[in-house]
Amino acid sequence: MKLSKITKYALCAALVVMFASCAQNEKTETNAKPATSEKAEASDLMNIRYIDEDSLLSKYNLAKDLSESNLKLSNQYDAAQQQRATEINKFASEVQRKYKNNGYLTEESFNVDQQKLNKMQADAQNYLGRLQRDIENQVVQNNIQLNDSVNNFLKVYAKQKGFDMILRKSAAFYINDKFDVTAEVVEALNKRYTKVEKSK
């Protein structure tokens, strides 16, 4: 399984969230009205905004740092895979050359190298499998971190602004551009984000 597919879509998948909160009505009705009328009024009074998630991912510093981290993890896997493949191919070529040149004096000595080659292949497969699982787990953790950061901020932001709902742009067929709060949200997110350097 190619890790590039995981890292390509991982951060986008992390933002498949909707944020909804109930806002208090400033006006209270004194006369009872039919239920249908109340629903219509509630719909008319909803204060909704939206965020362009693609723009947020490309401009939010945390998202960019995590995307870079995911890319490094993918490159780490590719490098490890290439290294193991080179080692195995080199030894396999030596075995083949030695066999063609009658370098094996006994069948036993040939079998020893064949077993070594098989072990190298099995060890490589096990190692790369563990490495892939570790990398996938780290990508998941990165996605959770990004999702939590955006989700927690938007809950506070929506409450402060008096918004009833903040949608993803891709979740709607059409939203007027005047309801776009992406730039304001990204600016606020970047102001509060402090990059933490991980010890190597």
Side-chain angles (χ1 to χ4, degrees):
M1 179 177 184
K2 291 295 291 180
L3 283 174
S4 56
K5 291 182 179 179
I6 297 171
T7 56
K8 182 177 180 181
Y9 301 109
L11 289 178
C12 290
L15 285 183
V16 182
V17 290
M18 293 186 67
F19 310 98
S21 61
C22 296
Q24 296 180 346
N25 291 327
E26 295 180 359
K27 298 181 180 179
T28 57
E29 299 294 335
T30 55
N31 298 325
K33 295 183 178 180
T36 53
S37 177
E38 290 179 0
K39 288 182 179 179
E41 278 193 27
S43 176
D44 292 341
L45 294 174
M46 283 190 75
N47 197 355
I48 301 175
R49 296 295 184 273
Y50 79 88
I51 289 177
D52 184 335
E53 59 268 41
D54 291 335
S55 180
L56 185 146
L57 286 172
S58 67
K59 296 177 181 178
Y60 181 21
N61 291 333
L62 173 60
K64 291 191 287 185
D65 288 343
L66 292 179
S67 179
E68 182 181 349
S69 173
N70 290 345
L71 179 60
K72 287 180 179 178
L73 291 171
S74 178
N75 291 338
Q76 177 186 347
Y77 178 86
D78 291 341
Q81 187 178 46
Q82 181 62 43
Q83 180 184 355
R84 293 302 174 103
T86 299
E87 293 172 355
I88 292 171
N89 290 335
K90 181 180 179 181
F91 185 72
S93 296
E94 290 176 359
V95 171
Q96 186 177 20
R97 178 189 58 78
K98 192 174 179 180
Y99 181 80
K100 285 183 177 180
N101 295 329
N102 297 319
Y104 290 105
L105 300 179
T106 64
E107 185 177 352
E108 183 181 356
S109 61
F110 172 73
N111 289 337
V112 168
D113 278 355
Q114 280 291 102
Q115 290 173 3
K116 180 179 178 181
L117 179 60
N118 292 337
K119 187 176 185 305
M120 289 176 68
Q121 293 171 334
D123 289 347
Q125 185 175 3
N126 291 334
Y127 170 76
L128 292 173
R130 289 194 302 270
L131 181 60
Q132 180 172 335
R133 287 191 295 272
D134 290 343
I135 290 174
E136 288 173 348
N137 288 336
Q138 184 58 56
V139 170
V140 169
Q141 291 304 311
N142 287 348
N143 292 341
I144 291 173
Q145 181 183 355
L146 176 61
N147 186 53
D148 286 349
S149 175
V150 175
N151 193 11
N152 292 335
F153 171 78
L154 287 180
K155 286 179 181 177
V156 175
Y157 172 77
K159 187 174 182 180
Q160 290 176 342
K161 295 289 185 176
F163 299 148
D164 298 300
M165 191 178 297
I166 299 179
L167 301 174
R168 292 179 293 110
K169 183 178 181 181
S170 62
F173 289 108
Y174 171 77
I175 310 180
N176 193 304
D177 289 345
K178 70 181 181 179
F179 297 113
D180 185 356
V181 293
T182 308
E184 183 178 346
V185 167
V186 169
E187 182 181 2
L189 284 169
N190 283 334
K191 280 184 178 180
R192 75 171 194 164
Y193 172 59
T194 302
K195 184 175 182 179
V196 178
E197 297 290 347
K198 296 182 179 179
S199 57
K200 297 182 180 179

